[in-house]
């Protein structure tokens, strides 16, 4: 009989499983705390259980969902990239960033993946060039946090779902994982310290707004006209900028939270003074933070994709970036410039793709929403 995967099950599901084994429901509570709160990866670690129970669990079920394949540390030691193998041999990446910014000396932010690859096909993104291989299961999403805590020995104080994949295309699994991460008998992450970043699936943003939780939302805006956004993010043809901003505004109103807009800076594509002006004006009515991300080169996929002039992006000059930043800063909302950490180990925004999964599955690309 195939083993039951326990990671990703909620309290009720774990109780049903333990009762099915002939155990008392309180055993499920213990298991929940060991699995999510103490990050146990093997039943033998669960010292509250006597040996015979651990053995029965060993035979019937599995705790681990990820195996560490490689761990890379950036030269500045401010980012660590973890490559994990899933049970079916596919791979995902997670990146831990140690943030020593003034006022927040001990922030450890983990960037996690929600899918293997991504079907949304943004032209500047390495993950997009892979296409979608599959959705991650709730346990595989949660386990990235549990594994990195164990392997790094550091706390994880913040989680951003900004790794591989479009999280809102894996909505149910993602939300289940988020609630498990926020559980006070589990990793106990405050809901407002978990940010989900989307390329802009309007109906899913509307659903997210209705949920009544405090998980936060970021939108990858990346352009100020539909013409440019259509080209670099084909999803814009389905959900154009006006509809997206309307959904963003409604989120801030109903959830009573600020939203974050991410804006990648691509030389000569979306970084003109007119773009800065439009960005400022488009976001003016929305309580938000604007996060500018200078483009990170994605060398290898360029070579593979080849021939498409749109893919020949460049990072703007330092002067151009500073000018854009200064112009947007004259607006009412907070603007930050994010120099991605870990670019020397391909761990920066947009650089996550796994060589283990070559060849790129072009036929799997395209918007499947
Ligand atoms: N799919 C989600 C979350 C993952 S992408 C989304 O698109 O929001 C996380 C962020 O990385 C997005 O804001 C995206 O615009 C940005 N990004 C993608 N490729 C990049 C690159 N090559 N350089 C810099 N940022 C990039
Ligand atoms: Fe997918 Fe986000 Fe990359 Fe776009 S930027 S292809 S949505 S991971």
């Amino acid at each position: 009989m195939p083993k039951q995967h326990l990671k990703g099950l909620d309290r009720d599901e774990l109780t049903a499983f333990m009762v099915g084994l002939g155990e008392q429901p309180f055993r499920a509570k213990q298991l929940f705390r060991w699995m999510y709160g103490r990050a146990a990866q093997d039943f033998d670690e669960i010292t509250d259980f006597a040996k015979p129970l651990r053995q029965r669990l060993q035979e019937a079920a599995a705790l681990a969902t990820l195996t560490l394949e490689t761990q890379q540390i950036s030269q500045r030691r401010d980012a660590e990239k973890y490559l994990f193998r899933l049970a079916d041999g596919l791979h995902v990446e997670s990146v831990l960033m140690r943030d020593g910014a003034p006022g927040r000396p001990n922030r450890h932010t983990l960037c996690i993946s929600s899918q293997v690859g991504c079907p949304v096909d943004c032209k500047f993104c390495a993950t997009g060039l892979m296409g979608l291989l599959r959705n991650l299961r709730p346990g595989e999403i949660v386990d990235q946090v549990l594994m990195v805590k164990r392997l790094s020995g550091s706390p994880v104080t913040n989680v951003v779902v900004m790794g591989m994949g479009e999280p809102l295309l894996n909505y149910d699994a993602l939300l289940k994982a988020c609630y498990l991460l926020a559980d006070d008998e589990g990793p106990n992450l405050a809901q407002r310290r978990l940010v989900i970043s989307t390329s802009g699936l309007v109906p899913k943003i509307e659903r997210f707004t209705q949920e009544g939780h405090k998980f936060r939302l970021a939108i990858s805006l990346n352009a100020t006209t539909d013409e440019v956004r259509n080209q670099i993010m084909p999803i814009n043809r389905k959900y154009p900028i006006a509809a997206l901003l309307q959904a963003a505004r409604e989120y801030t109103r109903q959830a009573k939270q600020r939203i974050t807009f991410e804006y990648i800076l691509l030389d000569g594509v979306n970084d003109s003074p007119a773009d800065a002006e439009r960005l400022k004006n488009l976001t003016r009515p929305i309580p938000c933070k604007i996060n500018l991300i200078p483009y990170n080169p994605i060398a290898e996929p360029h070579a593979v994709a080849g021939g498409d002039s749109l893919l020949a992006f460049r990072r703007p000059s330092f002067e151009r970036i500073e000018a854009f930043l200064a112009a947007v800063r004259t607006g009412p909302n907070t603007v930050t410039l994010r120099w991605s950490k870990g670019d020397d180990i391909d761990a920066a925004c947009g650089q996550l793709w796994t060589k283990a999964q070559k060849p790129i599955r072009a036929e799997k690309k395209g918007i499947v929403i």
Side-chain angles (χ1 to χ4, degrees):
M1 223 176 63
K3 288 189 178 188
Q4 162 93 44
H5 282 282
L6 298 187
K7 197 82 62 44
L9 299 190
D10 62 22
R11 280 194 178 73
D12 289 348
E13 291 164 335
L14 275 182
T15 305
F17 170 77
M18 283 306 239
V19 169
L21 280 187
E23 293 294 325
Q24 296 289 325
F26 80 94
R27 293 287 180 206
K29 278 175 87 73
Q30 289 176 314
L31 182 56
F32 188 97
R33 286 198 291 263
W34 276 93
M35 189 162 70
Y36 297 120
R38 304 177 72 160
Q41 291 290 348
D42 193 298
F43 295 112
D44 277 336
E45 294 172 32
I46 306 181
T47 48
D48 285 347
F49 291 174
K51 192 118 200 245
L53 174 56
R54 298 202 306 256
Q55 246 158 19
R56 279 168 57 222
L57 284 168
Q58 214 73 273
E59 281 153 25
L63 270 187
T65 69
L66 307 175
T67 312
L68 179 69
E69 194 110 306
T70 57
Q71 175 179 1
Q72 287 172 277
I73 302 179
S74 69
Q75 272 168 14
R76 290 189 299 271
R77 309 193 81 76
D78 56 359
E80 288 169 22
K81 182 164 83 165
Y82 295 85
L83 174 66
F84 293 114
R85 192 174 64 251
L86 305 165
D88 57 6
L90 295 175
H91 294 80
V92 283
E93 293 178 319
S94 319
V95 180
L96 180 67
M97 293 160 287
R98 297 172 202 274
D99 192 343
R104 52 169 96 118
N106 293 316
R107 193 148 104 161
H108 291 79
T109 301
L110 183 65
C111 177
I112 60 171
S113 297
S114 55
Q115 297 182 310
V116 186
C118 179
V120 178
D121 202 20
C122 303
K123 302 301 177 193
F124 44 76
C125 173
T127 310
L129 289 167
M130 287 171 60
L132 175 68
L133 284 94
R134 75 164 166 87
N135 279 331
L136 292 184
R137 289 186 265 277
E140 295 165 333
I141 299 173
V142 171
D143 227 2
Q144 294 172 60
V145 178
L146 301 177
M147 286 288 279
V148 171
K149 270 182 152 178
R150 274 178 84 112
L151 293 164
S152 68
S154 18
V156 172
T157 60
N158 295 65
V159 169
V160 291
V161 190
M162 293 184 188
M164 296 164 70
E166 167 48 57
L168 298 189
L169 280 179
N170 188 14
Y171 193 96
D172 293 334
L174 176 83
L175 262 284
K176 189 174 187 198
C178 290
Y179 281 114
L180 289 170
L181 289 172
D183 196 291
D184 60 7
E185 289 188 317
N188 196 17
L189 191 81
Q191 291 194 357
R192 69 195 149 72
R193 290 179 189 264
L194 197 154
V195 183
I196 295 160
S197 174
T198 178
S199 55
L201 281 79
V202 169
K204 296 287 171 58
I205 294 173
E206 289 165 355
R207 183 169 164 201
F208 191 84
T209 300
Q210 303 303 328
E211 300 264 5
H213 50 61
K214 291 277 169 219
F215 301 121
R216 291 178 45 210
L217 193 64
I219 292 182
S220 298
L221 186 58
N222 294 342
T224 61
T225 64
D226 282 327
E227 198 194 343
V228 173
R229 199 164 190 270
N230 283 346
Q231 285 181 47
I232 62 174
M233 299 182 74
I235 194 172
N236 194 68
R237 297 191 196 124
K238 191 150 187 179
Y239 306 116
I241 292 177
L244 182 54
L245 292 179
Q246 176 59 31
R249 192 171 178 177
E250 202 47 38
Y251 164 81
T252 58
R253 224 172 50 78
Q254 290 199 33
K256 298 189 174 50
Q257 303 227 43
R258 273 201 310 178
I259 199 165
T260 299
F261 288 111
E262 292 153 290
Y263 193 94
I264 182 174
L265 288 167
L266 303 166
D267 189 41
V269 175
N270 65 356
D271 66 338
S272 69
D275 280 307
E277 201 54 30
R278 276 192 297 267
L279 180 57
K280 198 172 75 182
N281 292 332
L282 286 172
T283 54
R284 190 183 291 281
I286 305 173
C288 68
K289 195 179 98 180
I290 301 166
N291 210 335
L292 304 177
I293 315 171
Y295 169 68
N296 295 307
I298 51 170
E300 282 204 54
H302 277 184
V304 179
D308 185 343
S309 61
L310 255 185
L311 294 173
F313 296 119
R314 281 187 316 272
R315 176 181 281 193
S317 68
F318 190 69
E319 291 70 31
R320 238 174 125 83
I321 293 172
E322 287 289 315
F324 195 92
L325 174 66
V328 185
R329 274 208 170 135
T330 60
N333 289 310
T334 311
V335 191
T336 53
L337 179 63
R338 183 161 88 206
W339 291 105
S340 298
K341 297 175 195 301
D343 49 351
D344 57 326
I345 52 169
D346 279 355
C349 298
Q351 291 184 323
L352 299 186
W353 78 306
T354 54
K355 293 167 191 164
Q357 270 137 214
K358 274 191 220 167
I360 289 166
R361 307 269 287 264
E363 81 277 9
K364 294 227 168 184
K365 289 196 298 182
I367 303 174
V368 284
I369 297 153

